[in-house]
Amino acid sequence: MTHLDVNLDATLDVLIKLLNIPSPTGYTDEAVAFTRAAFEALSMPGLTTATLPKGALVVTLPGADTNTSVGLTAHVDTLGLMVKEIKSSGALKLTNIGGIVWGGVEGENVTVQTYDGGRYRGTVLPCNPSSHVNTNIARQERNADTMEVRLDAKVLSGADTRALGVEIGDFVFVDPRVEMTDTGFVRGRFLDNKAGVAVIYGAVMALRDAGLTPAQTT
C-alpha cells in the first residue's frame, strides 16, 4: 500500500475557513463556492467540478479504471435558526433548523442575515433572562416559546426591527466559535461534517503531491 503524506497545515486552513462560513441548511451557497474554489485551486490534473441544480458540489477525479467509479460524500450544511416571528418588543421568536438543541444555544451570539444582505448581531436568551425577577428560570424549559434573540440594535418595537430589514424567514447564524488549541485540537461547532470536507480535500492534495491518480474514477 502506498503511503501518502497529507499536508496537515493546508487541510486545517481549509477546515477553519470553512467552519467560519455560515451555512445552515438552506443557506449553503457561500460554503459551496468556497469549497469549489479550494478544490479547483489544487490544479489536480483531470479534476473537474460541477454544481448540481439543487446546489450540491461534485468534484470528479478520473481514475486508472474509468469503467467503474466510487464516491465519497460529506456535507457543508449545518444546524441553525430562522426568524419565525418579530415580537412587539422588537425581539425575535425563532424556529430551529435541523434539530438544534435550545439549551445548547442559550447565551450564544448569533448573526441575523436579512434578505437584502444586511447582518445584525444578537444573543439567544430566555424571554425573561433575569434570575432576580424570573425566579423559575432555572427550571424553565428551553424551547422556541421560551427563547428569543435580543438584537444588538436600538429597537423598542417590531416596527423598529422591521426598519432594519429584518423579516420572518431570515436566517440566524449561530457563532461557530472556532479555536485551534495549543494541544493541536480544533474546537468549534459544526465540525460535523465540514471536517469530512476538509479530509477529502487533504486526500486529493496528497494524491496530487504524490503524482498519483485514483484506481477508479472518484
Side-chain angles (χ1 to χ4, degrees), residues 193-211:
N193 187 234
K194 291 183 177 182
V197 176
V199 166
I200 295 174
Y201 171 87
V204 173
M205 176 180 278
L207 285 171
R208 183 204 65 184
D209 292 346

Side-chain angles (χ1 to χ4, degrees), residues 62-138:
D65 179 358
T66 59
N67 293 318
T68 59
S69 60
V70 296
L72 299 172
T73 65
H75 63 84
V76 298
D77 66 316
T78 71
L79 305 180
L81 301 163
M82 182 177 282
V83 178
K84 183 177 182 179
E85 176 186 326
I86 298 175
K87 297 184 176 183
S88 59
S89 64
L92 306 176
K93 184 173 183 177
L94 305 170
T95 187
N96 59 339
I97 299 173
I100 204 164
V101 178
W102 292 102
V105 293
E106 181 174 350
E108 188 61 272
N109 298 320
V110 297
T111 300
V112 180
Q113 168 78 52
T114 68
Y115 183 77
D116 62 3
R119 289 190 175 183
Y120 295 95
R121 297 287 282 164
T123 310
V124 180
L125 294 168
C127 295
N128 185 351
S130 173
S131 59
H132 302 292
V133 177
N134 183 6
T135 56
N136 189 49
I137 192 169

Side-chain angles (χ1 to χ4, degrees), residues 18-61:
L18 185 56
L19 286 169
N20 279 304
I21 298 173
S23 56
T25 301
Y27 187 93
T28 56
D29 287 355
E30 288 183 41
V32 169
F34 168 82
T35 303
R36 184 173 191 169
F39 275 94
E40 290 177 347
L42 289 173
S43 299
M44 174 77 169
L47 181 149
T48 60
T49 64
T51 304
L52 301 183
K54 290 189 176 181
L57 173 67
V58 178
V59 179
T60 302
L61 288 178

